[in-house]
Amino acid sequence: MEHIGETMSDLILDIRNLHVSVEGKEIIKGINLTINSGEIHAIMGRNGSGKSTLAHVLMGHPAYEITKGEISFLGKPIEDYDVFERARAGMFLSFQYPPSIPGVQVGNFLKKSVNNVRDENVKAREFRKELNSAMEKLEMDRSFLSRYVNDGFSGGEKKRLEMLQMMLLKPSLALLDETDSGLDIDALRLVAKGINETAENIGVLLITHYQRLLDLVKPDFVHAMIDGKFVKSGGAELALELESKGYDWLEA
Amino acid sequence: MSEDASNAVGDYKYGFHDPENATIRFDKGLTEQVVRDISELKNEPEWMTEIRVKAYHHFMDRPMPNWGNCSMLDSIDFDNVTYFLRSSEQTEKNWDDVPDDIKNTFDRLGIPEAEQKWLGGVTAQYESEAVYHSIREDLEEQGVIFLDMDSGLKEYPELVKKYFCTVVPYADNKFSALNTAVWSGGSFIYVPKGVHVEMPVQAYFRINAKNMGQFVRTLIIADEGSSIHYVEGCTAPTYSTDSLHSAVVELIAMDGAKIRYSTVQNWSANVYNLVTKRGIAHKNAVVEWVDGNIGSKLTMKYPAVILKGEGSHAEIISVAYAGEGQHQDAGAKVHHLASNTTSNILSKSISKNGGRSSYRGLLKVNPKAHGCRSKVVCDALMLDEDSRSDTYPTMEVSNSSADLEHEASVSKISGDQLFYLMSRGFSEEEAMGLIVNGFFEPFTRELPMEYAVELNKLLELEMEGAIG
Ligand SMILES: Nc1ncnc2c1ncn2[C@@H]1O[C@H](COP(=O)(O)OP(=O)(O)OP(=O)(O)O)[C@@H](O)[C@H]1O
Ligand SMILES: [Mg+2]
């Protein structure tokens, strides 16, 4: 099988008429989305409208069935690729609810993840340097490295660890599912800075409920999602409109 | 490797075997004469012969345990076991003098390398007896005795006589009787008052012959205020017929002493591993069992500590991995005899491919033991629906001031964890390996680094082909 990611162009992600079901129930009901390199797309939408589902499907979660439509990533259809192959090809998902992995130390986990995902062989010294600098940017204490992955982490600490992973894994597409929720005001600023730095030449799909993140990370496109569909797309101003008006006015 | 061996071996990396070049091999089967012959061959004092013979009769009269895995126990064919096999005329102090074929085996197991790097002493037992033995000079100068058990009896008969069978009487159970009747090899250690043995000493037990019975006997005495860490590893070739390893370990920690005994048992899947391990902790002493059961067909082993002196402490950390056709019946026993004694028990088990693991625990607090504390945690991880895990905790608490905690959990690897790890570029097998290693981490981190690394590799290997 040919590797994904071998043909590079500006086109990172292309979703055509996507329909997705879980346990026989349709959740995503026809979505089109194109993300080019350097673009930040924000999705806002009601609870249960299918935002996380979309992120999970893109990452290849086995519970979701694509009933119609296609997804291509870096110019290749990805339906046949397993989760870890998508990760190795440069897709990254920051989880809304990162699970804990007891007994697995953060430092070791990060090193292994980097070795899994990045093409070049990252030497131990180089890794340490990158790790130190990213942790400094996120103002994370080094004691995190010997803790177990997400085990006993506060909500905000989990989200910071997700960001740390994004910064180290250097993806070409970052799917950030409510990375802002649970963060205090200072942490939000640090995370936003991290996203902006990383986002420069990759595609970003940012799922959020709040304008406060979008004040700091300026989206090029905003999509309003209701019941498995994008009911309206626009520029950054759409987010402000949603923030003040809610979603009711978008329903037919 | 012969064909039948390699067929049965699968991915068990220690499953190779060497030609059997026995210098003395007893006929199969057990009689009083066999017991007497073993004792005579070893030139033992009369009292030892007598205790062996008594133990033999007890073994013959005593019924099989009617608990545990009865059908597996009943399938042991005691008449088809070789009870004594000598493969080298003497125990060498110089690695180069060990017979080549045996040396090769231990080379493949990494023994001499480990000795140079991180051990205070090492003994390597092949079949019934030690073939190689050494101890660092500085330890010897401090009066530390570290010998194979046979030499221990020869050189320190009084010390052995004083303590032998005092912690585990031969009539304790059927297999302690068997071991006492035909014991050979094992370690004898004495640490003088106040001496701390900083580097662990290691024993490596290897069964090579088919239908072999290995009856290791270990006695460790840590005198007042001293400390020692003893590590043992075990492997055997994979044969289509069964072997038997039945050991007895007795630990004596005098006032303020500390003994840690670590085991990673990785017997091949045709070995019955029926072991009695028990330690006595005197005043303010600490006895720690760090016990890993990865291999064997059936293991029955419940490391025990008798907290005899006030303020003494027991720590028992064990893991068990039960794969296809394996039953790990393991556990822990603590007997709080004295006041203000404390114990911690952590047991973790993984069952896979129809494997079965059981935790069997006994916690006793005597009426006169006041202010005792104990915490027991049992976690089981099931990797599929066909596997099995049971917990049989027994508590006999006769003093109401005791502070006891018991927690038990059974879990599965969650789809969320797998998805998360795979989204970080781990294949499904790698993700399982990571989760499983993480699950055992509270055990692994207690091991010397070399053992920890080896164990993690082993478990990762076990996860290969885990996904159907
Ligand atoms: N594995 C699943 N099994 C059953 N139902 C599911 C599953 N995954 C998602 N759903 C359902 O699909 C719908 C969309 O869920 P999703 O998590 O995508 O919503 P969301 O837009 O991310 O919501 P929120 O803003 O609350 O995070 C919900 O009704 C949810 O219950
Ligand atoms: Mg969601």
Side-chain angles (χ1 to χ4, degrees):
Chain A
M1 189 186 277
E2 208 179 342
H3 273 282
I4 354 178
E6 272 166 6
T7 51
M8 278 299 284
S9 74
D10 278 354
L11 185 62
I12 304 276
L13 183 72
D14 197 24
I15 303 176
R16 297 249 164 257
N17 190 28
L18 183 68
H19 290 252
V20 175
S21 293
V22 59
E23 288 166 9
K25 184 179 143 212
E26 183 161 70
I27 309 282
I28 306 267
K29 303 172 177 171
I31 279 186
N32 293 292
L33 177 66
T34 304
I35 301 182
N36 288 301
S37 175
E39 290 176 359
I40 297 175
H41 290 244
I43 300 180
M44 301 180 81
R46 285 217 173 102
N47 293 133
S49 57
K51 303 179 297 297
S52 295
T53 301
L54 178 63
H56 282 129
V57 166
L58 291 173
M59 198 69 233
H61 195 296
Y64 301 94
E65 191 199 346
I66 296 177
T67 52
K68 215 197 232 171
E70 48 288 331
I71 306 168
S72 76
F73 174 50
L74 301 173
K76 296 252 157 47
I78 54 169
E79 229 180 300
D80 293 338
Y81 291 91
D82 209 334
V83 181
F84 72 96
E85 295 169 310
R86 298 180 194 202
R88 290 178 187 183
M91 196 185 287
F92 175 81
L93 171 59
S94 168
F95 282 59
Q96 183 176 1
Y97 304 111
S100 67
I101 317 286
V104 176
Q105 289 183 332
V106 169
N108 190 13
F109 165 71
L110 292 174
K111 180 92 214 334
K112 284 189 165 155
S113 301
V114 164
N115 283 342
N116 288 340
V117 167
R118 287 190 22 200
D119 291 337
E120 84 272 44
N121 176 20
V122 185
K123 296 231 167 62
R125 242 189 51 224
E126 175 59 22
F127 171 74
R128 261 200 308 277
K129 229 174 73 190
E130 287 183 25
L131 180 63
N132 288 344
S133 121
M135 286 184 89
E136 258 165 47
K137 281 183 191 152
L138 292 167
E139 293 181 7
M140 287 177 81
D141 194 90
R142 298 199 48 87
S143 64
F144 276 104
L145 294 177
S146 54
R147 288 181 63 181
Y148 300 151
V149 176
N150 294 318
D151 202 25
F153 280 35
S154 74
E157 287 167 349
K158 286 183 188 169
K159 295 300 167 75
R160 279 196 217 199
L161 180 58
E162 294 295 285
M163 282 305 95
L164 179 62
Q165 293 176 57
M166 178 184 75
M167 289 161 84
L168 292 172
L169 294 178
K170 301 191 188 301
S172 39
L173 174 65
L175 311 166
L176 309 181
D177 192 356
E178 295 199 26
T179 300
D180 53 335
S181 56
L183 292 178
D184 64 41
I185 298 155
D186 295 330
L188 184 69
R189 213 165 277 138
L190 296 173
V191 161
K193 219 174 123 204
I195 297 174
N196 284 328
E197 267 179 38
T198 311
E200 256 171 41
N201 42 24
I202 71 167
V204 175
L205 183 64
L206 219 159
I207 296 168
T208 182
H209 288 296
Y210 305 107
Q211 177 60 35
R212 53 173 208 176
L213 176 66
L214 303 181
D215 287 339
L216 301 167
V217 178
K218 208 168 148 14
D220 302 293
F221 302 91
V222 175
H223 311 275
M225 190 161 179
I226 296 179
D227 191 23
K229 282 189 228 145
F230 290 166
V231 290
K232 194 169 174 59
S233 296
E237 72 290 344
L238 177 58
L240 289 165
E241 203 175 353
L242 291 170
E243 175 107 329
S244 66
K245 299 212 276 190
Y247 297 99
D248 284 350
W249 63 284
L250 290 169
E251 271 169 321
Chain B
M1 199 186 293
S2 77
E3 223 175 293
D4 68 328
S6 66
N7 284 340
V9 147
D11 52 13
Y12 178 71
K13 108 182 209 214
Y14 308 104
F16 63 89
H17 76 268
D18 308 299
E20 297 171 22
N21 296 324
T23 62
I24 297 174
R25 173 202 283 274
F26 280 44
D27 287 342
K28 284 178 179 172
L30 188 58
T31 60
E32 183 175 329
Q33 198 52 49
V34 167
V35 173
R36 287 189 180 279
D37 289 349
I38 291 174
S39 192
E40 195 185 321
L41 185 80
K42 291 172 179 285
N43 253 320
E44 288 179 346
E46 178 87 23
W47 66 268
M48 184 58 86
T49 315
E50 289 317 305
I51 201 168
R52 282 181 183 273
V53 169
K54 271 196 258 172
Y56 162 76
H57 288 293
H58 188 85
F59 167 73
M60 295 305 281
D61 295 344
R62 183 118 176 199
M64 268 293 187
N66 57 4
W67 47 274
N69 193 321
C70 296
S71 65
M72 272 194 187
L73 279 177
D74 288 339
S75 68
I76 302 176
D77 183 0
F78 290 102
D79 294 329
N80 195 34
V81 172
T82 302
Y83 286 86
F84 183 86
L85 201 165
R86 173 172 288 173
S87 40
S88 173
E89 279 311 319
Q90 56 207 352
T91 306
E92 302 295 349
K93 286 200 157 154
N94 188 333
W95 189 249
D96 295 333
D97 297 334
V98 175
D100 277 341
D101 47 348
I102 299 177
K103 196 161 59 186
N104 289 341
T105 300
F106 285 108
D107 278 339
R108 285 170 80 170
L109 298 168
I111 305 306
E113 229 177 293
E115 183 192 348
Q116 281 156 22
K117 278 197 282 193
W118 57 277
L119 292 171
V122 65
T123 184
Q125 177 161 342
Y126 196 80
E127 319 293 17
S128 297
E129 293 177 315
V131 291
Y132 171 68
H133 193 89
S134 81
I135 176 171
R136 282 165 59 103
E137 265 172 37
D138 51 329
L139 293 177
E140 217 166 8
E141 277 161 20
Q142 291 177 81
V144 175
I145 302 169
F146 174 40
L147 290 168
D148 66 274
M149 192 66 194
D150 295 282
S151 308
L153 178 60
K154 269 197 199 86
E155 294 177 33
Y156 301 92
E158 291 313 311
L159 209 50
V160 173
K161 191 176 176 186
K162 186 170 170 194
Y163 291 106
F164 190 83
C165 272
T166 58
V167 188
V168 180
Y170 69 81
D172 187 81
N173 63 74
K174 188 172 175 78
F175 295 98
S176 64
L178 175 63
N179 174 280
T180 308
V182 295
W183 74 266
S184 185
S187 300
F188 173 70
I189 296 176
Y190 171 80
V191 189
K193 281 185 191 167
V195 172
H196 297 282
V197 179
E198 307 286 352
M199 296 168 94
V201 297
Q202 187 201 45
Y204 203 99
F205 300 111
R206 173 79 180 171
I207 295 176
N208 181 62
K210 260 186 198 178
N211 302 115
M212 182 61 205
Q214 193 180 58
F215 306 96
V216 167
R217 184 87 190 195
T218 290
L219 175 59
I220 301 177
I221 303 145
D223 215 329
E224 290 171 22
S226 70
S227 68
I228 184 156
H229 182 186
Y230 179 89
V231 190
E232 73 180 356
C234 329
T235 57
T238 306
Y239 292 118
S240 51
T241 54
D242 298 325
S243 298
L244 174 61
H245 174 88
S246 187
V248 169
V249 178
E250 300 179 277
L251 310 181
I252 296 138
M254 310 291 243
D255 293 0
K258 178 176 169 182
I259 302 177
R260 167 174 281 212
Y261 194 109
S262 301
T263 304
V264 177
Q265 154 304 87
N266 184 24
W267 295 117
S268 52
N270 56 302
V271 174
Y272 286 91
N273 183 45
L274 309 166
V275 173
T276 309
K277 288 182 162 169
R278 191 175 303 156
I280 288 189
H282 291 276
K283 198 173 169 191
N284 295 325
V286 177
V287 171
E288 300 178 334
W289 296 105
V290 178
D291 202 66
N293 295 295
I294 310 300
S296 83
K297 177 177 188 170
L298 171 66
T299 284
M300 289 175 77
K301 177 167 35 151
Y302 322 96
V305 182
I306 299 167
L307 297 169
K308 193 168 178 219
E310 226 188 305
S312 57
H313 177 72
E315 190 84 32
I316 305 175
I317 303 173
S318 65
V319 298
Y321 170 86
E324 192 177 352
Q326 285 184 284
H327 186 177
Q328 305 283 10
D329 198 292
K333 295 188 202 174
V334 177
H335 198 151
H336 292 259
L337 284 180
S339 294
N340 303 317
T341 50
T342 52
S343 60
N344 256 331
I345 296 171
L346 172 64
S347 153
K348 303 204 132 220
S349 70
I350 294 175
S351 314
K352 196 191 124 195
N353 283 344
R356 184 174 166 196
S357 64
S358 315
Y359 171 81
R360 213 176 283 279
L362 175 63
L363 189 77
K364 263 185 171 176
V365 180
N366 260 34
K368 286 188 181 137
H370 298 282
C372 297
R373 264 189 301 121
S374 176
K375 183 174 182 188
V376 182
V377 178
C378 299
D379 297 325
L381 181 66
M382 311 275 285
L383 297 193
D384 51 50
E385 301 297 327
D386 314 329
S387 303
R388 181 171 162 188
S389 157
D390 314 287
T391 311
Y392 309 96
T394 307
M395 294 205 182
E396 296 171 18
V397 180
S398 322
N399 185 305
S400 59
S401 71
D403 173 7
L404 308 173
E405 265 181 80
H406 182 96
E407 290 167 23
S409 75
V410 180
S411 55
K412 290 183 194 162
I413 289 186
S414 81
D416 286 349
Q417 289 177 321
L418 281 180
F419 179 55
Y420 186 70
L421 291 175
M422 288 175 76
S423 78
R424 284 4 177 196
F426 295 91
S427 71
E428 192 166 352
E429 287 172 357
E430 288 164 349
M432 298 253 291
L434 204 59
I435 292 168
V436 160
N437 281 343
F439 181 73
F440 274 176
E441 202 271 350
F443 169 83
T444 318
R445 70 162 172 240
E446 297 297 330
L447 296 175
M449 173 83 109
E450 286 71 7
Y451 270 73
V453 169
E454 189 66 14
L455 185 69
N456 281 343
K457 271 196 247 156
L458 205 68
L459 290 170
E460 276 159 22
L461 211 70
E462 289 287 346
M463 290 308 113
E464 278 176 23
I467 289 103

